[in-house]
């Protein structure tokens, strides 16, 4: 089932307690596409500036199931760029800088060939752009959006408007608190689905896993215990990519996405995210094999069986 995503392509500078990388390829859309491509074909719609050099494009090309024909280059603009710093506790991250560049401009245009997309993922970017993208796919059957604290701070009305029209929302525990004023993740999730629009919300809790609050029930999953975390950047986007990639593949005929199917999808997202954080940028995902994914999925099933 055609899966389409829009979001940021970022040039990231990352500091961890052990190492540092400057100007590496990141962005919500890049991680999402790489992760989803382990399950299905993915269509990318995003914009970059004239500073997006060939080496970045070569990294995207390492994922042959990602169709980058919707990658728009704006020669006179700047690619979104972001700096993040991690501390001893990997769950804690400080944003060092955010240069919005193309994200402040008009949304990228989706190629006509992508118009029949049924599964739509709105990776982290300005919610007004997400809204416009959502409505450019009239044949959509399942749409999910990701967001973050910056947009809750500066574009809350746009985010609320978007939430009324999507099936699912993915956020982290802090963002759920910001949106609802409620600390308890289940209660916050319930408030979101009861008053803001989506049918379900996935609340991520970093290394403590995630909680699904759905109008049909509640589910939870631990994170896969990674022993050597190198760079947690993109964990959330890879998680979402694995989840949506799995759903799009599993629902090629029956498009009725049940809570059970979302729960299974969360497990696949969890496994892909656990690989993404074993390197800086997309390095680990670029060398990852389907066999490694399947093996870790089996290990994960063994670990969580109750
Ligand atoms: P994650 O670690 O999953 O939250 O995603 C990190 C990625 O999101 C980085 O590669 C950044 O380039 C990108 N990013 C950071 N802030 C934003 C933002 N405000 N809008 C869109 N993408 C962002």
């Amino acid at each position: 089932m055609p899966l389409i995503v829009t979001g940021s392509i970022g040039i990231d500078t990352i500091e961890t307690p052990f190492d540092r990388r400057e100007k590496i390829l990141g962005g919500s859309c890049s991680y999402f596409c790489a992760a989803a491509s382990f399950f299905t074909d993915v269509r990318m719609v995003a914009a970059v500036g004239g500073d997006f050099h060939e080496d970045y494009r070569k990294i995207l090309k390492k994922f042959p199931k990602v169709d980058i024909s919707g990658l728009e280059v704006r020669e006179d603009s700047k690619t979104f760029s972001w700096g993040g710093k991690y501390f001893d506790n990997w769950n804690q991250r400080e944003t060092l800088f955010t240069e919005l560049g193309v994200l402040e401009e008009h949304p990228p245009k989706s190629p006509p060939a992508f118009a029949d997309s049924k599964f739509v993922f709105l990776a982290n970017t300005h919610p007004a752009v997400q809204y416009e993208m959502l409505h450019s796919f009239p044949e959509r059957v399942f749409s999910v959006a990701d967001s973050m604290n910056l947009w809750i701070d500066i574009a809350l009305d746009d985010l609320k408007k978007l939430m009324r029209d999507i099936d699912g929302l993915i956020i982290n525990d802090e963002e759920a608190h910001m949106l609802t004023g409620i600390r308890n993740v289940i209660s916050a999730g319930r408030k979101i689905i009861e008053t803001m629009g989506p049918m379900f919300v996935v609340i991520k809790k970093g290394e403590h896993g995630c909680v699904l609050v759905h109008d049909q029930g509640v589910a939870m999953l631990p994170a896969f215990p990674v022993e050597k975390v190198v760079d947690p950047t993109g964990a959330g986007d890879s998680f979402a990519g694995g989840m949506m990639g799995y759903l799009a593949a599993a629902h090629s005929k029956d498009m009725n996405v049940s809570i059970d199917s979302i729960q299974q999808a969360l497990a696949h997202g969890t496994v892909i995210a656990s690989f993404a954080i074993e390197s800086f940028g997309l390095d680990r995902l670029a060398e990852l094999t389907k066999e490694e994914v399947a093996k870790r999925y089996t290990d994960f099933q063994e670990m969580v069986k109750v």
Side-chain angles (χ1 to χ4, degrees), residues 11 177 192 221 225 230 242 247 265 271 291 294 300:
I11 299 181
H177 177 231
I192 292 169
L221 211 59
V230 173
L247 285 176
V271 166
E291 289 69 33
F300 189 49

Side-chain angles (χ1 to χ4, degrees), residues 41-62:
D41 295 322
V42 203
R43 299 164 167 181
M44 171 191 276
V45 178
V48 292
D51 53 349
F52 191 78
H53 56 69
E54 197 47 37
D55 287 350
Y56 295 130
R57 189 181 286 269
K58 276 191 193 146
I59 298 173
L60 293 176
K61 285 192 173 152
K62 290 183 181 169

Side-chain angles (χ1 to χ4, degrees), residues 8 10 12 26-28 31 80 82 93 103 124-125 148 150-151 232-237:
S8 64
D12 290 351
S28 57
Y31 283 107
F80 168 72
W82 177 79
R93 173 165 89 188
L103 294 197
N124 194 11
T125 188
M148 73 180 292
L150 175 72
W151 308 120
T233 308
D237 308 308

Side-chain angles (χ1 to χ4, degrees), residues 68-269:
I68 57 169
S69 55
L71 182 64
E72 200 176 301
V73 182
R74 298 180 188 162
E75 286 303 338
D76 298 328
S77 304
K78 288 199 80 176
T79 304
F80 168 72
S81 124
W82 177 79
K85 179 173 177 167
Y86 295 89
F87 302 89
D88 289 339
N89 166 5
W90 289 117
N91 278 342
Q92 214 190 330
R93 173 165 89 188
E94 185 186 322
T95 290
L96 298 175
F97 63 88
T98 300
E99 288 167 18
L100 290 174
V102 289
L103 294 197
E104 264 183 322
E105 301 171 5
H106 59 91
K109 265 215 156 9
S110 176
F114 291 177
D116 62 349
S117 299
K118 303 270 190 299
F119 278 65
V120 179
F121 188 74
L122 306 159
N124 194 11
T125 188
H126 197 296
V129 171
Q130 293 177 308
Y131 183 86
E132 197 168 323
M133 287 302 294
L134 178 72
H135 290 280
S136 41
F137 303 109
E139 292 182 36
R140 67 184 181 278
V141 292
F142 189 73
S143 58
V144 179
D146 186 4
S147 196
M148 73 180 292
N149 51 1
L150 175 72
W151 308 120
I152 300 173
D153 271 338
I154 70 170
L156 185 59
D157 288 343
D158 289 320
L159 182 60
K160 285 189 168 165
K161 185 171 160 196
L162 172 75
M163 283 199 289
R164 288 197 281 272
D165 290 353
I166 51 175
D167 298 300
L169 178 72
I170 303 186
I171 47 176
N172 70 25
D173 43 4
E174 270 312 310
E175 292 149 4
H177 177 231
M178 281 173 80
L179 266 180
T180 61
I182 301 173
R183 274 262 170 234
N184 179 287
V185 285
I186 308 286
S187 310
R190 279 201 212 288
K191 180 158 183 189
I192 292 169
I193 64 169
E194 281 164 12
T195 65
M196 299 184 188
M199 169 181 76
F200 72 90
V201 55
V202 178
I203 302 180
K204 299 170 289 180
K205 301 190 298 160
E207 62 182 328
H208 304 297
C210 66
V211 169
L212 166 68
V213 182
H214 190 286
D215 64 8
Q216 303 293 310
V218 171
M220 59 165 297
L221 211 59
F224 183 88
V226 174
E227 283 185 68
K228 197 167 178 296
V229 178
V230 173
D231 168 22
T233 308
D237 308 308
S238 311
F239 168 82
M243 169 190 153
M244 287 296 286
Y246 173 83
L247 285 176
H251 290 276
S252 55
K253 295 207 172 65
D254 167 17
M255 289 181 213
N256 199 1
V257 181
S258 66
I259 179 170
D260 289 351
S261 158
I262 297 175
Q263 217 175 329
Q264 276 178 4
L266 295 179
H268 287 88

